[in-house]
Amino acid sequence: MRSTLVLENLRVQRIKRTDGRWSYAIVWPDYSVDEEAESYLRLYEGSGSQETYAYHLVDHMRWRQRERLTTETITMMDLHRYQGAVGARVPMPYGQPWRVPPKRPYGTAALQISASCLKGFYLHQCRIRGVNDELRDELDVGRLPTRADRGRALLGHVMTSVARNPLAPSQGTRRRHPKMLPDGARPELMGAVNTARDEMVVTWLSDTTLRIGGLTGLHLVDLHLRENAGCGECKSPHVHVCHRQANPNGARAKKKEDWRLVDGVITGGEIYRASPAMVSSYFKYMTTEYAKYATGHGMLLIQLAGANCGEPWAADAARGMLRRAGRRAGLPGRIKPHAFRHTTTSKILDVTGNDSWTAKEAGNWASVQTVDEVYGHPDMHSPEFIAALKAVWGEPQ
């Protein structure tokens, strides 16, 4: 029944290119491509944004079809109504909720993506087709630049305005609280996993700030697990996380740092230092399971059972392994790969006395500001912190 409903509606179609990459288009039930969506999504060909925008755009186009709206007739109020229907707080009645159970309303991050997608889509359509000038003018607005805007921009001192998205949810100033691993999670997980590959995954996630897409996208040539490797970029054992669009398991690194392969040696990409425990777990895995099952594709993590045994292991499979291991270990909540990244960053801040620069470099974070806003915190056990509280409480020092 579910597949029938999808086939009778607009849907996202994955298209495999000859170079192994995937493209995304929005198609009608008769398999014809929606030309409006195609002209917009083509702007993001070769990037991960194309997939994300395709799924956000198809949801909006289904809603628009129900509301009997088109690019020529839709208004800014309609776009705000849609944002309200999928989860945004809007000061107006937005009609019937669109994302009904079991679907959940969009969170803040998803609403930001939806707002960016809709603004880009309608500005693109209004400009190339010369329609709905009123909507185009309402979307194409700016605001005064902040100090952060000027700091990020080249020649920021001469900026007079920056683009603003009237559909985006308001940004709060409160610090986010990232979800950490439960206390003692690592040894509990190590006791609950069943294979050397899974032990290696837990070890590598625990000792670095690797994202799961980067880890499952690693190739053997990316690993420089000895001193003074040929790349010349890091004297200690390390790995290069390289963004590849055509990995057979669909795994991709989030950051698109430049990299290249010259004479069999990888240079560039994101560089992560490797601990002795990471190197040890790697050799245990390579000399047992990898040597027995690998099929010569050159990727690091492989499937160990089933019809595709020996083929590259997908990021979703790694997430499932961690979820099941956490359940077997009796750990509270759902164990997610990104919690390792949060936990490791927080630990680095603890042992360095809240040195944000060290945490930024160790975690390959985009900016020190991100580390400060998300992870920065006082040491609740430091003498200075205790003395400050006692002073506020009126207790003797």
Side-chain angles (χ1 to χ4, degrees):
M1 177 65 70
R2 183 179 179 85
S3 60
T4 302
L5 290 174
V6 170
L7 291 175
E8 291 177 354
N9 208 334
L10 284 162
R11 68 185 189 278
V12 175
Q13 181 69 48
R14 296 178 74 202
I15 305 167
K16 191 169 186 178
R17 301 299 185 185
T18 55
D19 60 0
R21 296 184 302 168
W22 291 93
S23 293
Y24 296 84
I26 294 177
V27 299
W28 289 88
D30 62 358
Y31 297 97
S32 62
V33 175
D34 185 89
E35 295 298 333
E36 283 190 324
E38 175 68 11
S39 68
Y40 176 62
L41 293 175
R42 197 182 299 127
L43 301 175
Y44 299 94
E45 186 71 46
S47 74
S49 298
Q50 188 184 61
E51 178 182 3
T52 303
Y53 282 178
Y55 283 101
H56 277 271
L57 187 57
V58 75
D59 188 69
H60 171 71
M61 294 183 73
R62 289 170 179 169
W63 175 87
R64 190 176 77 168
Q65 186 181 22
R66 186 192 72 175
E67 299 292 313
R68 295 180 173 84
L69 296 169
T70 65
T71 299
E72 291 82 1
T73 61
I74 199 166
T75 66
M76 178 64 77
M77 181 174 289
D78 292 325
L79 295 181
H80 281 299
R81 281 200 304 117
Y82 171 73
Q83 289 290 87
V86 297
R89 294 184 179 181
V90 292
M92 65 176 71
Y94 52 77
Q96 182 181 355
W98 178 242
R99 293 184 63 82
V100 296
K103 294 180 179 180
R104 293 181 296 176
Y106 287 162
T108 302
L111 288 170
Q112 285 280 4
I113 297 171
S114 177
S116 298
C117 177
L118 294 182
K119 177 180 178 179
F121 174 73
Y122 283 107
L123 281 178
H124 177 72
Q125 297 304 323
C126 293
R127 285 167 178 164
I128 66 172
R129 296 175 54 196
V131 298
N132 209 337
D133 291 339
E134 182 180 352
L135 178 63
R136 183 187 63 186
D137 292 341
E138 288 182 282
L139 286 172
D140 195 11
V141 294
R143 60 172 172 80
L144 292 174
T146 64
R147 183 178 299 176
D149 294 325
R150 296 182 188 276
R152 285 192 296 264
L154 181 66
L155 299 178
H157 61 285
V158 300
M159 292 177 64
T160 58
S161 69
V162 294
R164 180 176 69 86
N165 192 338
L167 299 174
S170 59
Q171 294 295 301
T173 57
R174 295 181 62 186
R175 177 186 296 148
R176 293 171 289 168
H177 294 280
K179 293 183 178 179
M180 306 291 183
L181 292 172
D183 291 340
R186 177 173 178 171
E188 295 293 335
L189 287 172
M190 293 295 281
V193 296
N194 299 318
T195 66
R197 177 203 62 193
D198 298 348
E199 287 183 14
M200 190 184 77
V201 168
V202 172
T203 302
W204 283 44
L205 289 176
S206 298
D207 286 358
T208 66
T209 54
L210 278 166
R211 299 177 179 88
I212 195 63
L215 177 58
T216 53
L218 285 173
H219 290 239
L220 297 181
V221 294
D222 301 334
L223 312 181
H224 294 168
L225 302 181
R226 61 180 178 83
E227 301 285 341
N228 299 313
C231 66
E233 295 180 297
C234 182
K235 294 182 179 179
S236 302
H238 61 279
V239 299
H240 295 256
V241 177
C242 305
H243 180 87
R244 296 180 175 92
Q245 283 287 109
N247 279 332
N249 61 353
R252 292 195 296 265
K254 181 177 182 179
K255 295 180 69 175
K256 302 176 180 64
E257 302 286 349
D258 291 336
W259 63 275
R260 59 179 180 168
L261 178 65
V262 179
D263 296 330
V265 178
I266 286 282
T267 58
E270 290 184 275
I271 298 176
Y272 291 84
R273 292 275 298 271
S275 69
M278 291 171 61
V279 177
S280 177
S281 65
Y282 163 80
F283 280 110
K284 178 181 178 181
Y285 163 63
M286 291 297 293
T287 55
T288 54
E289 296 160 357
Y290 193 90
K292 184 177 181 180
Y293 297 115
T295 57
H297 44 73
M299 296 194 71
L300 173 62
L301 297 175
I302 61 171
Q303 301 180 51
L304 300 178
N308 295 318
C309 182
E311 294 301 312
W313 201 42
D316 281 345
R319 293 187 185 98
M321 179 276 292
L322 291 170
R323 182 176 64 252
R324 293 188 297 272
R327 200 155 46 224
R328 288 194 299 270
L331 294 173
R334 182 173 178 173
I335 303 299
K336 296 184 178 181
H338 216 67
F340 289 88
R341 180 173 171 84
H342 294 318
T343 301
T344 302
T345 302
S346 184
K347 288 180 178 179
I348 292 171
L349 282 173
D350 285 340
V351 300
T352 60
N354 276 339
D355 186 341
S356 301
W357 283 100
T358 300
K360 172 190 176 298
E361 293 301 319
N364 282 300
W365 288 96
S367 68
V368 175
Q369 182 181 2
T370 300
V371 176
D372 283 336
E373 290 179 352
V374 179
Y375 300 99
H377 59 275
D379 182 358
M380 298 177 65
H381 304 288
S382 69
E384 294 81 7
F385 188 87
I386 294 172
L389 282 180
K390 286 185 176 181
V392 171
W393 295 341
E395 294 185 3
Q397 300 290 326

